[in-house]
Amino acid sequence: MSLAVLYSRALSGMHAPLVTVETHIANGLPSFTIVGLPETEVKESKDRVRAALQTAQFKIPAQRITINLAPADLPKESGRFDLPIALGILAASGQIPADKLDQYEWAGELALTGELRPIHGALAMTYRAAQSGRSFVLPQHNAAEAALVKQAHVYAAQSLLQICAHLTGHEALPLYNSLPDTRNKIPVYPDMAEVKGQAKVKRALEIAAAGNHSALMIGPPGTGKSMLAARFPGILPPMTEEEALESAALQSLSQGGFDIANWKRRPYRSPHHTASGVALVGGGSHPRPGEISLAMHGVLFLDELAEFDRKVLEVLREPLESGKITISRAARQAEFPARFQLIAAMNPCPCGYLGHHSGKCHCTPDQVARYRGKISGPLLDRIDIQIEVPALPQDELMRQQTTGENSSTIRQRVERSYRRQLKRQSKTNSLLNVEEVDRYCALDTASKTLLKQAISRLNLSARAYHRILKLARTIADLAGVETISSQHVAEAIQYRRMDKH
């Protein structure tokens, strides 16, 4: 047989479109050509495949070899096509049987020794392969990650020879179906009880966790803002199977890949304030997810918020509202989900000590205004909770034993509120649209009067008004009541601290 057809997958954002690998061997001067819009990594596969076949003692036909990667208008990148190209040459030249090739999809980078090296995006590709009804063969290193897709039939191989033995019937590859031990383990996070004092801030973060609200902590250096943020994932509800799979799929697309030990562990991303807009939203000639997508169903912590470039911060506005980010390039477009929870921290002034009991601050009102002006009004509007983190009194700081609640206790209340929301509206309060806000966040006369006064005094926008209602709804859910009272509204209003300036 001089023609062989195999199937593999490309990557386009979160999608993994099917790629048909066609191999044709014809008479003529010996040559090796790859067509179908291959990038440099794919063009270089000729040398890797040639060396791997020679090392494995296979014959390379001294004829004209043509590899077509269809569809032709879809860019092909990375070394994952090495394996299907090598198998296509062997099948087209009659060295292995070709009757079972269409039952599988193949991906793997070949070493010169014929060993298989790990690839990126295995989770997204396996998910699509399972939907097509075909089994997926990939490197051993990626098998545990791919097995997270329950409906998939995954075969893990260590070398090209092992796969050839499977196809010839000499030694079948076992179906990889071992689930990671981490499925039955509760992820361990730093404990909220380790943070001394700051009861009001912990209360605000509990509300943020219960309703999936964003939060901004404002306070002098050393008051525990970073500590509180690092412990925030520990009070969030456990990840569902669907959330964990989506988060893992995004991380598998990144340069670092997905670590199976982090299964069902909420991601916590904390980029430095010198990070660029591309680092946050993602990009590149072959778009990859940025920090906001890698924080999917987890926490994005931006420390020193006012030190970020203003243009960088503005890229957060769209994903905070829509839960997705679209990266456009001249030749292609990629969309990544970005349903993250923003927790940010900043100093109250350039020196950081405005209002501190030490009296260190000598910033002028104009300097303070310019510093806070680095964060635009539209972005602040999208941050539900803005809370002050004061310096701890000396007695509280020097107390050896903490008296605050641990993360487990707080998380139990958060879970009860979370379940209440899902039962009532099938989503968290932060995701309610305008119509749903009117339906589920109805106020009595006293609450309406209070909120009307707040709107007039603080000059609140329509977005801020709706976010106060959502916050009040979450506060009522934490209290276990269905009716929003003026007490809940009052607490929600006090979390709009930056609106007062």
Side-chain angles (χ1 to χ4, degrees):
M1 181 181 183
S2 60
L3 178 68
V5 179
L6 294 90
Y7 300 105
S8 187
R9 294 277 165 181
L11 287 174
S12 178
M14 275 286 286
H15 303 291
L18 182 69
V19 173
T20 304
V21 182
E22 301 171 333
T23 304
H24 184 256
I25 299 178
N27 293 327
L29 291 174
S31 64
F32 195 149
T33 307
I34 300 178
V35 297
L37 214 57
E39 298 291 342
T40 303
E41 305 100 310
V42 182
K43 291 178 181 178
E44 291 174 345
S45 70
K46 292 186 293 186
D47 299 312
R48 291 192 297 271
V49 168
R50 189 185 298 275
L53 291 177
Q54 289 175 339
T55 305
Q57 304 297 311
F58 287 110
K59 294 180 181 179
I60 300 175
Q63 295 172 283
R64 184 173 181 173
I65 303 173
T66 305
I67 309 292
N68 180 40
L69 306 176
D73 60 345
L74 178 69
K76 320 297 188 308
E77 47 83 28
S78 105
R80 75 177 70 91
F81 298 107
D82 290 1
L83 178 59
I85 288 173
L87 292 175
I89 293 173
L90 294 176
S93 60
Q95 298 181 67
I96 61 172
D99 56 332
K100 296 180 181 178
L101 292 178
D102 60 351
Q103 299 175 17
Y104 305 92
E105 293 185 13
W106 316 84
E109 180 181 330
L110 284 173
L112 301 187
T113 59
E115 299 292 314
L116 287 177
R117 288 185 170 143
I119 57 175
H120 291 297
L123 206 53
M125 289 188 286
T126 307
Y127 182 73
R128 291 293 180 181
Q131 289 182 321
S132 72
R134 285 183 284 267
S135 301
F136 197 57
V137 182
L138 76 173
Q140 181 76 39
H141 183 85
N142 298 107
E145 173 188 337
L148 295 174
V149 182
K150 286 185 176 180
Q151 66 270 34
H153 293 88
V154 176
Y155 291 91
Q158 294 181 340
S159 67
L160 176 63
L161 277 174
Q162 196 176 8
I163 293 174
C164 292
H166 173 76
L167 291 172
T168 56
H170 286 87
E171 187 176 351
L173 286 172
L175 187 66
Y176 193 98
N177 55 11
S178 60
L179 300 177
D181 294 337
T182 50
R183 287 191 172 220
N184 299 319
K185 294 181 181 178
I186 299 175
V188 178
Y189 304 96
D191 201 295
M192 195 67 81
E194 296 169 357
V195 182
K196 296 181 179 180
Q198 307 298 5
K200 291 183 179 179
V201 186
K202 291 178 182 177
R203 164 68 176 174
L205 292 180
E206 180 181 337
I207 295 169
N212 195 33
H213 301 287
S214 52
L216 170 62
M217 296 179 284
I218 309 160
T223 53
K225 300 187 295 295
S226 298
M227 279 187 72
L228 287 161
R231 283 148 183 78
F232 183 76
I235 65 173
L236 292 173
M239 295 183 84
T240 64
E241 198 83 19
E242 184 179 351
E243 288 176 341
L245 193 60
E246 193 170 19
S247 176
L250 276 162
Q251 291 177 54
S252 77
L253 297 174
S254 69
Q255 192 65 37
F258 174 66
D259 185 352
I260 197 69
N262 293 327
W263 174 246
K264 285 199 172 182
R265 181 182 178 87
R266 297 234 180 228
Y268 179 81
R269 310 291 299 189
S270 180
H272 193 261
H273 62 260
T274 56
S276 65
V278 172
L280 252 64
V281 303
S285 55
H286 302 290
R288 286 192 172 177
E291 294 290 337
I292 61 175
S293 292
L294 295 177
M296 183 71 177
H297 298 306
V299 178
L300 177 68
F301 176 51
L302 300 184
D303 200 6
E304 305 295 346
L305 186 67
E307 300 299 333
F308 279 81
D309 185 274
R310 181 163 177 157
K311 291 181 180 179
V312 172
L313 291 180
E314 293 307 296
V315 303
L316 295 172
R317 286 162 57 176
E318 179 196 343
L320 277 173
E321 287 287 328
S322 65
K324 61 184 179 181
I325 185 73
T326 302
I327 301 170
S328 297
R329 294 292 178 265
R332 60 192 302 193
Q333 190 178 68
E335 183 178 282
F336 294 104
R339 187 65 69 187
F340 61 94
Q341 196 156 354
L342 176 64
I343 303 295
M346 62 178 285
N347 294 328
C349 67
C351 77
Y353 290 98
L354 181 68
H356 195 271
H357 54 72
S358 63
K360 292 181 181 179
C361 181
H362 299 289
C363 298
T364 64
D366 187 51
Q367 288 175 321
V368 174
R370 278 202 307 270
Y371 181 75
R372 297 188 178 187
K374 293 181 180 180
I375 306 168
S376 69
L379 178 59
L380 274 177
D381 243 7
R382 289 167 167 83
I383 300 178
D384 301 339
I385 296 175
Q386 300 148 18
I387 184 74
E388 184 176 357
V389 186
L392 282 179
Q394 291 183 1
D395 293 343
E396 185 76 32
L397 182 62
M398 298 181 71
R399 187 180 299 166
Q400 292 187 354
Q401 292 185 343
T402 57
T403 57
E405 293 179 308
N406 59 30
S407 294
S408 178
T409 304
I410 299 173
R411 186 173 60 249
Q412 289 174 14
R413 293 197 297 268
V414 168
E415 286 182 40
R416 284 196 295 270
S417 171
Y418 185 73
R419 288 194 296 268
R420 190 183 186 93
Q421 294 167 50
L422 294 184
K423 183 179 179 181
R424 181 180 58 239
Q425 65 223 15
S426 302
K427 61 174 74 172
T428 58
N429 291 330
S430 66
L431 300 180
L432 294 175
N433 58 36
V434 176
E435 181 184 349
E436 291 168 334
V437 167
D438 293 338
R439 185 188 312 163
Y440 299 119
C441 305
L443 303 179
D444 57 24
T445 304
S447 300
K448 286 181 180 178
T449 302
L450 179 61
L451 187 52
K452 185 177 180 179
Q453 292 173 349
I455 293 172
S456 176
R457 188 176 304 167
L458 301 178
N459 195 24
L460 297 176
S461 67
R463 180 182 288 112
Y465 163 74
H466 283 111
R467 289 183 181 268
I468 287 175
L469 288 176
K470 294 177 187 178
L471 269 181
R473 176 69 272 167
T474 302
I475 295 168
D477 287 335
L478 277 169
V481 297
E482 196 60 34
T483 304
I484 300 175
S485 69
S486 56
Q487 180 182 354
H488 304 140
V489 174
E491 185 176 359
I493 292 170
Q494 75 168 355
Y495 292 130
R496 303 293 304 184
R497 184 180 183 277
M498 293 288 281
D499 291 324
K500 302 176 185 177
H501 299 278

